[in-house]
Amino acid sequence: FNASGARAYRAPIAPRCAPRVVVPGVAAPRSRSPLSTTTTGGFFERRTPLLLAAAGMTPALARQRITAREIEVRRAEADLRELRALLARDRQELKQLLKQQPGSPTFRETTTRSLVKAIGWRIIAGFITFCSSFYFTRQFWTSLAIVGSDFISKVFTMFIGERLFNRVKMGRSASGETVGRSVVKALIWRAVAFLNTATISGLVTASAGLGAQIASSDAIIKTTLMVVYDQAWSRIDWGKELENVDGDGI
């Protein structure tokens, strides 16, 4: 109010706007229409049909904009596929270069890789143990109890074995592990697993003889599968860390 008591008119103060910063090589951000409303923290504009009509938007223009967006998405996906192919090629070139370097560069496995390998093998071997246990006992729940107890103990023991073998460089290079190394690992693991399965099966079935039968019946199958499983993991780069190359990982 002024001195005479009448309501005074005050013009609205224009909000201060931050100066626009232009970065070379980066497109300037689009200015939003004053008729549009934006969600809090959102990226896309949300407009009502009335505002769209006021802005001159028609179904034909909307379809054209959608088509343009789809083209941009397809181009981005093509670029991403090309980058992934280049990354795979660079990894292969790195392996070839490491083979030619002196000092026999090798790799070591991360703890997570060893754990995933142990769990994956336990699932495969557990199914075989269940089949052999059911064949000898003809009891579903007894076979399931053997596999359950076997699973927990063998995941831990195989994980420890993988970490110990990770310190052994025999049969290991930057390109992977040899078949001979996998065979040695499978035989050592089969001896440990035999004692484990025989003990647990004997306790569950209350028969040491039956436990020995269950443990020995699938020894050949599991040993062969273990070699195949280890060689398959040797071709997977995830979880490998190269040594003797300044700590670079794969």
Side-chain angles (χ1 to χ4, degrees), residues 7-196:
R7 183 183 298 272
Y9 172 75
R10 177 179 296 178
I13 301 175
R16 296 181 179 179
C17 298
R20 178 176 299 181
V21 179
V22 179
V23 181
V26 179
R30 289 187 310 169
S31 59
R32 300 182 183 275
S33 171
L35 298 178
S36 64
T37 58
T38 308
T39 58
T40 304
F43 179 76
F44 299 100
E45 297 176 352
R46 184 173 56 191
R47 303 178 181 179
T48 62
L50 180 60
L51 294 178
L52 289 174
M57 181 61 63
T58 62
L61 292 176
R63 292 190 187 96
Q64 292 178 4
R65 188 165 61 178
I66 291 173
T67 302
R69 296 281 188 250
E70 290 175 346
I71 294 175
E72 292 178 1
V73 170
R74 284 195 293 268
R75 288 176 179 174
E77 291 175 346
D79 292 340
L80 181 59
R81 287 193 297 268
E82 184 178 356
L83 287 175
R84 287 175 175 171
L86 292 174
L87 178 60
R89 188 190 65 182
D90 291 341
R91 286 176 173 173
Q92 292 298 325
E93 291 178 354
L94 175 61
K95 290 183 178 180
Q96 296 298 326
L97 291 173
L98 291 176
K99 291 180 180 179
Q100 301 172 4
Q101 281 186 349
S104 300
T106 59
F107 71 88
R108 60 180 177 269
E109 295 185 348
T110 61
T111 304
T112 305
R113 176 184 170 96
S114 299
L115 181 61
V116 173
K117 285 178 64 176
I119 295 176
W121 170 250
R122 200 63 253 138
I123 294 174
I124 298 173
F127 175 76
I128 300 175
T129 301
F130 175 83
C131 294
S132 58
S133 300
F134 186 79
Y135 175 80
F136 286 105
T137 63
R138 299 297 178 180
Q139 297 178 5
F140 178 83
W141 293 111
T142 300
S143 303
L144 197 62
I146 293 174
V147 173
S149 303
D150 211 33
F151 183 90
I152 298 174
S153 60
K154 284 186 178 179
V155 164
F156 176 75
T157 53
M158 184 174 178
F159 172 75
I160 297 300
E162 286 292 324
R163 299 312 298 165
L164 292 176
F165 259 100
N166 194 41
R167 299 175 178 271
V168 180
K169 306 305 178 186
M170 180 195 67
R172 173 179 283 182
S173 63
S175 59
E177 298 181 351
T178 62
V179 178
R181 178 185 171 93
S182 298
V183 171
V184 172
K185 287 175 63 177
L187 292 175
I188 294 176
W189 171 246
R190 184 46 38 206
V192 175
F194 175 84
L195 296 176
N196 194 315

